[in-house]
Amino acid sequence: MVTAILLTIINAERQWLSVEKIIMDFGQEEVPAVIGSSPLLDPEIGAALGNSEVIWEFIGSDANLVTILDYVPDLTKEEPNEQFKDRLHFNESTATLTVINVTVRDEGIYILTVNGRLRSRIILKFFEPLSEPSINTTCVNTTITLTCQVRTGKASSVLWWKDGKIITNGQNFLLMQNNSSLIIYETNKSDCGIFTCTMKNPVSEKSYSFALSINGDCHSVNGNECEPSKPVNNVQANVILLVIVVMFLVVAFSIVCREVYLKGRGAVAGEPLESIRTS
């Protein structure tokens, strides 16, 4: 029993080493997909297969290498793996493979060999489509901060546009947080227009547009007026100043009283003032 377990571990390690060699020897080609879709795995061989034997293999999250399709010309095509049974569409001319109605279990590495020679390695990776984006706005005086975000999915890139022209850092524009936030400083009438946020990932692209308008000294986003910057309250400022002055007078009065006390003590005792201060 122990011997059988050791042999299983050794075979698993050898298999994993072969997988690592495949990953190192071939450049990574990634095919994005959405659960329920039918992605095409194209090895781009670029030549007719003729009478070649074609084998597609798969490595999933369990790191096991399994054969999912074995094709030999003029013979029956075999799909030995139950996970992919009746879900593969194979093109005999180009060796492309379509995986129909993919599930989470189908995410992994697909390996193509032709006549025993390794020809391609394709990684199938799932992405969640982006929901419709929304814009959070912070608007104070003449500075406007716009943040583009989605409820579901993760954006791989975010672009901002103004009247159809892309926005980059410079002048009064500042892009932050991987471009998800746009800060517009010292807005004026020249900044009026249609601003658009475009978010993308490998399986989806979504956009949201809004209008920035300025009427005189009144700034607004989508018709909502900006809050003016709050002026300093004069009453509060005067109270603070008065407290500082009182504290200064108290400290000064304490110092003067101490000096008078020390002088009076020295006059009575006939001692030098310095000796009294150090006593």
Side-chain angles (χ1 to χ4, degrees):
M1 182 66 177
V2 174
T3 303
I5 294 174
L6 289 174
L7 288 174
T8 301
I9 294 173
I10 291 171
N11 289 333
E13 289 178 347
R14 286 175 178 172
Q15 189 177 58
W16 181 247
L17 288 173
S18 66
V19 171
E20 285 189 330
K21 187 176 187 303
I22 290 170
I23 293 174
M24 292 176 63
D25 290 348
F26 283 77
Q28 174 177 327
E29 180 184 353
E30 188 174 283
V31 174
V34 177
I35 293 177
S37 64
S38 299
L40 174 68
L41 309 181
D42 187 357
E44 299 180 354
I45 293 178
L49 295 175
N51 295 322
S52 303
E53 179 184 8
V54 177
I55 295 177
W56 275 99
E57 296 173 298
F58 171 72
I59 305 170
S61 58
D62 58 3
N64 290 324
L65 181 65
V66 296
T67 299
I68 62 174
L69 184 139
D70 190 346
Y71 168 78
V72 179
D74 302 324
L75 295 177
T76 303
K77 179 183 65 175
E78 296 182 3
E79 298 179 7
N81 188 269
E82 287 297 325
Q83 178 179 331
F84 295 91
K85 200 82 170 176
D86 300 323
R87 292 198 301 121
L88 300 176
H89 181 269
F90 175 68
N91 187 309
E92 299 174 1
S93 300
T94 61
T96 58
L97 187 70
T98 301
V99 185
I100 300 171
N101 192 23
V102 291
T103 67
V104 175
R105 294 178 61 202
D106 301 331
E107 186 175 50
I109 305 172
Y110 292 77
I111 301 162
L112 171 67
T113 57
V114 179
N115 290 332
R117 181 185 174 190
L118 187 61
R119 297 298 300 269
S120 180
R121 178 183 67 88
I122 299 174
I123 298 176
L124 183 64
K125 186 174 182 180
F126 289 133
F127 292 87
E128 187 176 11
L130 300 171
S131 62
E132 293 296 329
S134 61
I135 298 289
N136 284 341
T137 62
T138 302
C139 183
V140 178
N141 202 18
T142 61
T143 298
I144 299 173
T145 301
L146 310 168
T147 302
C148 193
Q149 58 186 12
V150 289
R151 293 189 307 275
T152 59
K154 184 178 180 180
S156 54
S157 69
V158 182
L159 297 175
W160 289 88
W161 311 78
K162 178 180 180 293
D163 297 330
K165 296 181 180 180
I166 194 166
I167 295 174
T168 58
N169 283 321
Q171 295 182 345
N172 59 334
F173 294 122
L174 177 63
L175 295 166
M176 299 185 67
Q177 298 178 344
N178 296 324
N179 286 7
S180 63
S181 292
L182 172 64
I183 300 176
I184 311 173
Y185 292 103
E186 299 179 356
T187 53
N188 53 56
K189 289 186 177 181
S190 65
D191 295 316
C192 293
I194 303 299
F195 285 77
T196 302
C197 163
T198 300
M199 308 187 83
K200 298 180 182 179
N201 71 6
V203 296
S204 59
E205 177 178 334
K206 299 290 183 179
S207 295
Y208 180 86
S209 297
F210 62 93
L212 173 64
S213 60
I214 299 174
N215 298 315
D217 294 330
C218 180
H219 296 61
S220 64
V221 177
N222 273 351
N224 298 319
E225 292 186 5
C226 297
E227 295 181 2
S229 57
K230 296 180 180 180
V232 177
N233 190 310
N234 290 332
V235 175
Q236 293 179 347
N238 291 335
V239 170
I240 293 172
L241 180 61
L242 179 61
V243 170
I244 293 173
V245 171
V246 170
M247 291 178 64
F248 174 77
L249 292 176
V250 169
V251 172
F253 180 75
S254 299
I255 294 173
V256 171
C257 289
R258 177 176 172 78
E259 290 294 326
V260 171
Y261 169 76
L262 293 175
K263 287 181 180 180
R265 179 182 171 185
V268 173
E271 298 178 4
L273 187 58
E274 291 299 324
S275 63
I276 294 174
R277 286 177 175 169
T278 57
S279 61

